[in-house]
Amino acid sequence: MDHEEFMRKALELAKKGMGFTSPNPMVGAVIVRDGKIIGYGWHRKYGDLHAERSAFAYCDENGIDCTGADMYVTLEPCCHHGKQPPCTDAVIAHGIKRVFIGSADPNPWVAGKGVKILRENGIEVVEDILKEECDALNEIFFHYITKDWPFVTVKYAMTLDGKIATCTGESKWITGEEARLDVQRERLRHSAIMVGIGTVLADDPLLTCRLENGRNPIRIICDSNLRIPLESKIVQTAKDVPTIIAMTSYNKGYDREKREKRHILEEMGCTIISTAPNPNRVDLYTLVMELSRKKIDSILVEGGGELIEDLFRRELVTKVKAYIAPKIFGGRNAKTPVEGMGVKTPDNAYMIENTKIQRIGTDILIEGKVVYK
């Protein structure tokens, strides 16, 4: 095996932590001697051993001496005290000869300092092994740690003619089973899932992750006037799945009935966030800022069209994932993924860069980062 193959093994290990390490990154590590892997580990969950220490724990438990071995790690080893002690200390203490790194850590507490400490202690460091793949693995962490702002992904499934439902409102199912499974992986990858009240009223969704041994995202419902039914699946399961309902703050039109409903929702397990007074729309900028304070590093937005358009207009969308099915629905009144007022001219379009196109079963996935002018 060559350097890239060992790093690819570390990447496979890192992915096992998906959905459980937030707000920490996903990291994998392998220890190699004479071309063979003698130890491995990954960051399993937030607060648990980091990947390097997990790999050393494997070696220690099995009586394996790491002196003079190489380590491949997908992210620069940390050099500060957090939930765990510095990984650089463990690398030095175990006598590692060379460290191969995939991504540099943009965290200001690390940001090259880990590499510097290792080199100062006589350890050879080789950087940027499979850098593009390692960077892509932790795009959410990199965004959140540098911008102190959640990574917001807008996801939707549509037909070839751009419809997300038929003229009667039926939408199950637009895409095939493979694409729907990919969406469940996105729910696992993101800390939270957001929808507008229209989606809740129309579909009564549960908004959970249906993967075996998965983790449910925090559910966020934008509901300016608290129209969410108490008997909805989301409210009925709020004590089991963290649920946030965003509404508009008190104003002259805020009556006793809404106060009482808020109290009931809170008793049923919902957390209520109030934004600026507006009878018709939640202030999304204020909401996302509050979610950032709650250490929510990523949000998967699954509709509806008015909410998505408002997020674009406020320049809050980071990435778009569009699943396109080889079907035609037609219908002048059939819903589309992004509604609202829209842009006035093609020059004002929200542009997507670094697009990737992939076939998933019978469907096509197009994804990319949003560029704002």
Side-chain angles (χ1 to χ4, degrees):
M1 295 176 72
D2 60 19
H3 297 318
E4 290 192 354
E5 288 178 294
F6 287 125
M7 186 61 74
R8 194 159 280 116
K9 177 61 178 178
L11 273 167
E12 291 172 6
L13 291 167
K15 292 173 184 176
K16 292 185 176 184
M18 185 172 68
F20 299 96
T21 64
S22 173
N24 281 352
M26 292 176 277
V27 186
V30 296
I31 301 171
V32 177
R33 177 184 284 120
D34 299 329
K36 295 182 179 180
I37 294 175
I38 60 173
Y40 60 91
W42 68 95
H43 186 32
R44 287 172 166 79
K45 62 181 179 179
Y46 179 66
D48 206 347
L49 292 177
H50 290 184
E52 299 93 326
R53 288 183 176 273
S54 174
F56 289 133
Y58 174 89
C59 290
D60 293 343
E61 290 168 5
N62 290 277
I64 300 171
D65 183 5
C66 298
T67 304
D70 296 334
M71 170 169 273
Y72 293 77
V73 60
T74 56
L75 184 68
E76 177 183 1
C78 68
C79 54
H80 66 288
H81 284 269
K83 293 281 186 181
Q84 294 289 330
C87 288
T88 49
D89 289 356
V91 174
I92 295 165
H94 281 80
I96 293 295
K97 181 181 179 181
R98 296 187 298 178
V99 176
F100 297 86
I101 296 172
S103 295
D105 191 338
N107 186 341
W109 290 98
V110 185
K113 300 181 185 72
V115 169
K116 183 173 182 290
I117 289 171
L118 294 177
R119 285 174 172 158
E120 287 175 346
N121 282 271
I123 298 172
E124 181 183 346
V125 179
V126 180
E127 300 180 77
D128 299 339
I129 306 297
L130 292 184
K131 174 178 169 55
E132 187 174 335
E133 293 176 46
C134 291
D135 286 354
L137 176 71
N138 281 309
E139 62 177 354
I140 287 174
F141 170 74
F142 290 172
H143 176 94
Y144 186 68
I145 203 70
T146 58
K147 299 181 183 299
D148 194 25
W149 196 258
F151 187 101
V152 178
T153 301
V154 163
K155 161 264 161 187
Y156 51 81
M158 68 180 188
T159 60
L160 278 176
D161 56 338
K163 307 297 184 181
I164 62 171
T166 66
C167 60
T168 63
E170 292 291 327
S171 61
K172 288 184 173 58
W173 295 102
I174 291 176
T175 53
E177 187 174 340
E178 293 92 336
R180 299 200 299 274
L181 179 60
D182 192 62
V183 171
Q184 295 302 314
R185 286 191 285 266
E186 287 298 313
R187 289 185 178 185
L188 175 64
R189 191 167 77 101
H190 289 74
S191 296
I193 183 170
M194 178 186 288
V195 299
I197 184 59
T199 299
V200 176
L201 295 175
D203 301 334
D204 191 21
L206 198 52
L207 301 180
T208 53
C209 176
R210 294 189 288 275
L211 295 176
E212 186 177 359
N213 300 319
R215 171 206 49 84
N216 290 322
I218 298 168
R219 302 178 299 194
I220 304 165
I221 315 302
C222 293
D223 182 11
S224 57
N225 288 300
L226 288 187
R227 292 190 291 154
I228 189 166
L230 297 179
E231 64 274 12
S232 66
K233 293 176 184 175
I234 287 172
V235 175
Q236 290 295 315
T237 57
K239 288 187 176 179
D240 299 317
V241 182
T243 302
I244 296 171
I245 300 177
M247 59 173 291
T248 54
S249 61
Y250 295 4
N251 53 47
K252 293 180 180 179
Y254 193 76
D255 56 28
R256 178 190 293 180
E257 184 178 340
K258 288 192 178 67
R259 290 178 189 271
E260 291 177 349
K261 187 169 183 179
R262 172 174 180 159
H263 179 67
I264 294 170
L265 287 167
E266 289 174 331
E267 284 192 328
M268 295 179 74
C270 300
T271 297
I272 309 295
I273 293 179
S274 298
T275 66
N278 184 324
N280 300 312
R281 196 173 294 275
V282 168
D283 184 334
L284 292 174
Y285 188 88
T286 302
L287 172 60
V288 173
M289 185 183 299
E290 180 62 26
L291 297 174
S292 180
R293 291 194 192 103
K294 292 180 178 293
K295 303 300 181 184
I296 293 175
D297 65 355
S298 53
I299 305 167
L300 180 66
V301 182
E302 294 199 7
E306 297 284 342
L307 171 62
I308 291 175
E309 194 270 345
D310 200 9
L311 287 164
F312 272 113
R313 187 156 39 82
R314 293 174 180 270
E315 300 188 358
L316 295 173
V317 182
T318 311
K319 187 176 185 177
V320 172
K321 292 179 71 82
Y323 298 83
I324 305 172
K327 300 174 182 177
I328 302 292
F329 280 176
R332 66 173 62 88
N333 296 320
K335 287 186 172 294
T336 58
V338 185
E339 297 185 332
M341 292 294 293
V343 300
K344 293 182 179 180
T345 68
D347 289 342
N348 292 324
Y350 303 105
M351 299 301 296
I352 312 298
E353 68 174 6
N354 299 326
T355 54
K356 292 195 302 182
I357 302 174
Q358 156 184 14
R359 179 180 292 277
I360 301 181
T362 58
D363 307 305
I364 300 295
L365 169 62
I366 300 178
E367 59 182 306
K369 298 287 186 67
V370 184
V371 182
Y372 296 102
K373 297 181 180 178

